[in-house]
Amino acid sequence: MQHYFQPWKKQKDNYQKSRAQLKSECQGFEKAIITQANTPVGTKLVYDGEKRTIEVTPEMFSTFTKEYPFPNKTWDTCAVVGNGGIMAESGCGEMIDSAQFVIRCNLPPLKNGFEKHVGVKTNLVTANPSILLEKYGSLMGRRRLFVENLQIYGDSLLLLPAFSYGANTPVSLRAANTIEDFGSPIRPIFFNPEYLQKLAAFWQGQSLRAVRLSTGIMMASLALELCRDVHLYGFWPFGYHPHRFYDLKYHYYDDTPFPTGFHAMPAEFELLLQLHSQGVLNLHLGDC
Ligand code: CDP
């Protein structure tokens, strides 16, 4: 951690090297998202989380975005906001909202006092299908509450890992259809499982041993391809504050316990900290 306490300075060469490596090994810039252009009807998609394939039907195809959702140019500044308890008293809201492109994970709450600490601006938000299951009964019944709760994210992109596990697919398609049926401005998009597979291999190559990458590291990786300056907030998978040492919750907004097993967040954190000390991205752990 001692590197962390030196003032951060971007090191262009290191940033460009990491970015070029991600670009050549994962091609998120063109391939992170499924579109009607890159995934025609009849394509056999290979799930990235389990051994399984699925053929794209016309019905599925109709839920895919027509155009690639990211512009051809690089954004100047991106903020990737993780959900760590470290955000709770951070006062980082304004700084996060000042970024050109703001990425958030797993439909996090932004109102009722959280604004000051996490901001409200959202350009892309991810949704783990487990939330759709737990909070909205897999969208099998009434769906209005789901649509109402999406309002805070405006017309941002809603990124779903629809083809990571077989069980994700029907609920993700229902989410996309619900959004269309209710005329909600949010724009559903699906992760390309081939990209996620390549990304997992990329981080394995950096000695990361995890059953599955966390959403946060997926988004930080994508941001490195899409943005010139990448700022990370809310990435601190530990139960105490880094400077003031008081107890922290896992999430800034609920009492979910610290996870065990599935992800390897402390190991991911080590790698992100390395990128911070190499001047590739700026990992914010202090108050703003
Ligand atoms: O679903 P998942 O466990 O991946 O994510 P989450 O709990 O909704 O949090 C979003 C992301 O923030 C995670 O994927 C981690 O990368 C990051 N995070 C962290 O670094 N430290 C925490 N205490 C909580 C989340």
Side-chain angles (χ1 to χ4, degrees), residues 82-84 105-106 128 214-217 234-237 250-251 263 265:
N83 290 331
C105 303
N106 292 324
N128 208 325
S214 76
T215 309
I217 202 165
F235 286 70
W236 177 255
Y250 176 62
H251 283 156
H263 300 314
M265 278 186 204

Side-chain angles (χ1 to χ4, degrees), residues 194-207:
E194 197 183 329
Y195 168 71
L196 293 181
Q197 219 149 41
K198 287 181 174 168
L199 199 58
F202 172 86
W203 285 110
Q204 265 162 27
Q206 317 282 312
S207 310

Side-chain angles (χ1 to χ4, degrees), residues 143-144 147 173-184 188:
R143 298 164 306 159
R144 185 173 299 278
V147 176
L173 300 182
R174 275 199 295 281
N177 287 330
T178 302
I179 286 162
E180 194 186 336
D181 293 350
F182 280 77
S184 168

Side-chain angles (χ1 to χ4, degrees), residues 76 106 158 221 231 261 280:
D76 290 333
N106 292 324
L158 173 68
S221 313
H231 296 263
V280 173

Side-chain angles (χ1 to χ4, degrees), residues 56-286:
V56 174
T57 62
E59 196 195 345
M60 249 187 244
F61 181 79
S62 70
T63 64
F64 297 170
T65 176
K66 288 195 177 60
E67 279 160 28
Y68 204 69
F70 306 128
N72 232 339
K73 65 174 181 43
T74 311
W75 282 296
D76 290 333
T77 50
C78 293
V80 182
V81 189
N83 290 331
I86 191 175
M87 293 313 287
E89 296 299 325
S90 68
C92 288
E94 216 172 294
M95 202 162 155
I96 290 171
D97 284 353
S98 72
Q100 202 179 7
F101 196 78
V102 179
I103 299 176
R104 300 184 190 272
C105 303
N106 292 324
L107 302 176
L110 307 176
K111 295 281 168 74
N112 300 325
F114 295 128
E115 302 90 328
K116 186 163 177 264
H117 305 293
V118 299
V120 289
K121 180 173 175 178
T122 307
N123 298 98
L124 186 157
V125 60
T126 69
N128 208 325
S130 64
I131 308 173
L132 306 182
L133 176 96
E134 286 153 24
K135 276 185 85 174
Y136 305 107
S138 292
L139 299 173
M140 297 292 276
R142 307 288 302 260
R143 298 164 306 159
R144 185 173 299 278
L145 182 65
F146 170 62
V147 176
E148 280 172 5
N149 288 349
L150 291 177
Q151 277 172 12
I152 47 167
Y153 310 110
D155 64 355
S156 63
L157 298 162
L158 173 68
L159 178 53
L160 296 140
F163 302 102
S164 289
Y165 296 93
N168 289 7
T169 307
V171 68
S172 301
L173 300 182
R174 275 199 295 281
N177 287 330
T178 302
I179 286 162
E180 194 186 336
D181 293 350
F182 280 77
S184 168
I186 202 161
R187 293 169 290 152
I189 51 173
F190 303 140
F191 255 133
N192 189 339
E194 197 183 329
Y195 168 71
L196 293 181
Q197 219 149 41
K198 287 181 174 168
L199 199 58
F202 172 86
W203 285 110
Q204 265 162 27
Q206 317 282 312
S207 310
L208 183 67
R209 301 273 166 268
V211 179
R212 188 163 174 79
L213 296 177
S214 76
T215 309
I217 202 165
M218 289 175 187
M219 298 324 295
S221 313
L222 186 59
L224 275 173
E225 282 199 52
L226 300 177
C227 323
R228 223 177 308 280
D229 289 330
V230 177
H231 296 263
L232 304 188
Y233 300 85
F235 286 70
W236 177 255
F238 307 105
Y240 57 93
H241 192 279
H243 310 299
R244 289 186 255 119
F245 307 110
Y246 56 75
D247 287 350
L248 284 180
K249 294 197 292 183
Y250 176 62
H251 283 156
Y252 72 81
Y253 53 80
D254 69 15
D255 292 322
T256 301
F258 280 80
T260 48
F262 199 49
H263 300 314
M265 278 186 204
E268 287 184 0
F269 177 82
E270 277 297 319
L271 291 166
L272 294 173
L273 190 60
Q274 253 176 45
L275 293 178
H276 174 91
S277 54
Q278 291 164 358
V280 173
L281 50 73
N282 191 343
L283 178 62
H284 295 258
L285 296 179

